[in-house]
Amino acid sequence: MTLSPTVENYLKHLFTEQQDSDAELLPMGKLAAALAVTPGTATTMVKTLADAGLVTYEPRGGVRLTARGEQHALNVIRRHRVVELFLVKVLGLDWSEVHAEAEKLEHAISEKVLEKLDELLGRPDCDPHGDPIPRATGKLAVMQFKSLMECELGLPQRIMRVLGQDTGFLQTLHRLELVPGAKVTVQTRAEFTDSVNVKTAGGKTTALGASAAAKILVQPA
Amino acid sequence: MTLSPTVENYLKHLFTEQQDSDAELLPMGKLAAALAVTPGTATTMVKTLADAGLVTYEPRGGVRLTARGEQHALNVIRRHRVVELFLVKVLGLDWSEVHAEAEKLEHAISEKVLEKLDELLGRPDCDPHGDPIPRATGKLAVMQFKSLMECELGLPQRIMRVLGQDTGFLQTLHRLELVPGAKVTVQTRAEFTDSVNVKTAGGKTTALGASAAAKILVQPA
DNA sequence: GTTTTTACTTTGACTACTCAAAGTATCTAA
DNA sequence: TTAGATACTTTGAGTAGTCAAAGTAAAAAC
């Protein structure tokens, strides 16, 4: 069975949205928002996916990937992340711009090309944002990192992963040297001003808002 | 203006079909056959392309690319051929199988990625089949090679280009060492049996039918 | 416990592409 | 110069995906 790019996108977003809200069923509104389509469009498509056995759908309840749907979703995510890493490591594209490119390429990569890319890159575990790359078998490593909002103060931390794909956000992080692999220390966390003070390897100190700090995941260095 | 993959395919085939039959107008039937669609479908689409200023269309006469249509066509062909070379040289895919892969990828490659690929490959002139790669400016080198049907007998020749993309045909040529770059000598050309005897660098002699021999283009070594 | 709001579903319509089959122009051949 | 074949166009219909807007169920507020 070959899935259309559109269907692949529904499955991919279904998986990622499902992951970061641990409810039983994903509300249709969340899915529609993630895909930037109207709720009516999402409903129509989800019914089609349910008929194809890729999701279970409860009217006015929500939607959830079946095991089969999840395998397809993981395969799309694998293609996406391998391509992202290829664009950065082999072609030298900017960390902040590869997401949009990969969105198009992920639907045009055959299993054979994917395998060759994976080999060329040395069977990588993570993409340039630190997002784990599902194995060809469908296995996805689940890493539990703390964010800059939760980690210990004063202790050196290594950035492991950055959530979010907005180009501007990523460009800023790059400028601030807040990229996966970099070492940082959270100096203070101001309670009511919604702000975190972070010292980078370069010695500079930067103030981050809570929503930004929550997207930067670290582990003690 | 962004063109759909479908439109890109129409323009691409329009260009290549136009090239190897030097008539003023390309008959609709030829185009439909090249695209594997029904004549009615081709007519409908060509009218749309004409409205967009990409072709000129004479009902019951035929179709021809405008200058603008041709630039788009060359850009698609450039993406196709750069990708083919990348698949062979960097990923190590087989010469005979890259065409189908490139058919999908050519519509998903941005200008930026194309430029990086071109750079990585050292600004190549030709793809793995010897087909010339249009420059980013839209310039396409026109090479005039003789085929194994026309070249001088007994004189060593170098294979410069192989026409046709059929996987089986290309696999066979690979097995016979009849690939671009290889040295061959046409020993005899039998008049009525429609056959050509070719000696390869390895010393083996092979008989080729006229239709196959006409697809192998050479130049004195 | 009724009303209002919110979230969702349904409906009707549109774009892009496709085919099958009916219709028409043109060319060939008698 | 008419008859038939060929090549093309038109028409009607179907699939995949989309939106706007009307309709409905459930939750929240009163």
Side-chain angles (χ1 to χ4, degrees):
Chain A
M1 186 200 9
T2 307
L3 306 175
S4 71
T6 307
V7 168
E8 287 192 344
N9 277 332
Y10 274 82
L11 297 180
K12 183 181 64 175
H13 282 110
L14 223 20
F15 185 89
T16 50
E17 290 298 310
Q18 219 171 253
Q19 272 216 316
D20 38 71
S21 84
D22 43 22
E24 273 294 298
L25 292 169
L26 181 71
M28 299 303 281
K30 285 259 172 71
L31 178 62
L35 286 157
V37 296
T38 61
T41 302
T43 299
T44 310
M45 188 60 180
V46 161
K47 283 204 228 166
T48 310
L49 297 180
D51 288 347
L54 296 166
V55 304
T56 56
Y57 168 53
E58 308 246 319
R60 304 198 185 259
V63 58
R64 145 154 255 168
L65 286 168
T66 61
R68 258 189 63 228
E70 190 165 306
Q71 283 309 301
H72 281 291
L74 283 164
N75 188 258
V76 179
I77 291 167
R78 173 169 162 77
R79 293 196 309 257
H80 181 96
R81 294 183 180 169
V82 167
V83 166
E84 275 193 346
L85 193 62
F86 164 78
L87 293 174
V88 169
K89 289 228 313 194
V90 179
L91 293 194
L93 263 69
D94 201 290
W95 183 63
S96 61
E97 66 188 343
V98 295
H99 182 71
E101 299 280 357
E103 289 280 280
K104 287 200 81 184
L105 283 165
E106 68 191 8
H107 308 295
I109 298 281
S110 71
E111 273 307 314
K112 196 170 242 162
V113 170
L114 177 60
E115 161 60 24
K116 292 284 189 180
L117 284 173
D118 192 45
E119 188 188 332
L120 177 71
L121 294 166
R123 314 275 173 213
D125 291 325
C126 292
D127 77 3
H129 310 96
D131 301 329
I133 297 175
R135 303 284 78 222
T137 58
K139 276 256 182 324
L140 177 63
V142 183
M143 298 288 187
Q144 280 297 45
F145 299 120
K146 289 191 170 170
S147 78
L148 291 183
M149 288 305 285
E150 307 148 339
C151 70
E152 201 176 330
L153 294 181
L155 196 75
Q157 307 273 351
R158 188 169 299 283
I159 298 181
M160 302 304 290
R161 186 173 179 186
V162 174
L163 305 176
Q165 303 290 354
D166 180 75
T167 305
F169 175 59
L170 295 177
Q171 275 174 345
T172 305
L173 292 191
H174 190 250
R175 194 163 38 73
L176 297 172
E177 301 176 67
L178 296 172
V179 297
K183 237 193 272 181
V184 295
T185 308
V186 178
Q187 299 187 304
T188 60
R189 218 176 262 129
E191 275 286 348
F192 300 102
T193 63
D194 189 46
S195 162
V196 173
N197 274 305
V198 178
K199 191 166 139 193
T200 63
K204 274 178 249 167
T205 298
T206 312
L208 293 175
S211 72
K215 286 182 181 160
I216 300 173
L217 308 188
V218 297
Q219 150 177 299
Chain B
M1 185 199 13
T2 307
L3 306 175
S4 71
T6 308
V7 168
E8 287 192 344
N9 276 333
Y10 273 83
L11 297 180
K12 182 181 66 175
H13 282 111
L14 223 19
F15 185 89
T16 50
E17 290 298 310
Q18 219 171 254
Q19 271 216 316
D20 40 69
S21 85
D22 43 21
E24 274 294 296
L25 291 169
L26 181 71
M28 298 302 282
K30 285 258 172 74
L31 177 62
L35 286 157
V37 296
T38 61
T41 301
T43 298
T44 310
M45 188 60 178
V46 161
K47 283 204 229 167
T48 310
L49 297 180
D51 287 346
L54 296 165
V55 304
T56 56
Y57 168 54
E58 310 245 320
R60 299 193 189 266
V63 58
R64 146 154 253 169
L65 286 168
T66 61
R68 258 189 63 227
E70 192 166 305
Q71 283 309 303
H72 282 290
L74 283 164
N75 187 257
V76 179
I77 292 166
R78 173 169 162 75
R79 296 197 305 259
H80 181 97
R81 292 183 181 167
V82 167
V83 166
E84 274 192 346
L85 193 61
F86 164 78
L87 292 173
V88 169
K89 288 228 312 194
V90 180
L91 293 194
L93 262 69
D94 201 289
W95 183 64
S96 61
E97 66 187 342
V98 295
H99 182 71
E101 300 278 357
E103 290 280 281
K104 287 200 82 186
L105 283 165
E106 67 191 7
H107 307 297
I109 299 280
S110 71
E111 274 307 313
K112 195 168 242 162
V113 170
L114 176 61
E115 161 60 22
K116 292 285 189 180
L117 284 172
D118 192 45
E119 188 188 332
L120 177 70
L121 294 165
R123 315 276 174 211
D125 290 325
C126 291
D127 78 4
H129 309 96
D131 300 330
I133 297 176
R135 300 287 77 219
T137 59
K139 277 254 180 328
L140 177 64
V142 183
M143 300 288 189
Q144 279 297 41
F145 299 121
K146 289 190 169 168
S147 79
L148 291 181
M149 288 305 285
E150 308 146 339
C151 69
E152 203 176 328
L153 294 180
L155 196 73
Q157 306 275 351
R158 188 169 300 281
I159 298 181
M160 302 304 291
R161 187 173 178 184
V162 174
L163 305 176
Q165 303 291 355
D166 180 77
T167 305
F169 174 60
L170 295 177
Q171 275 173 346
T172 304
L173 291 191
H174 190 250
R175 195 163 37 75
L176 297 171
E177 300 175 68
L178 297 172
V179 296
K183 237 192 275 185
V184 296
T185 308
V186 177
Q187 299 189 305
T188 59
R189 221 176 260 128
E191 277 283 350
F192 301 101
T193 62
D194 187 46
S195 162
V196 173
N197 274 306
V198 178
K199 190 167 140 193
T200 63
K204 274 177 245 165
T205 299
T206 312
L208 294 175
S211 72
K215 287 183 182 159
I216 299 172
L217 308 187
V218 297
Q219 152 178 293

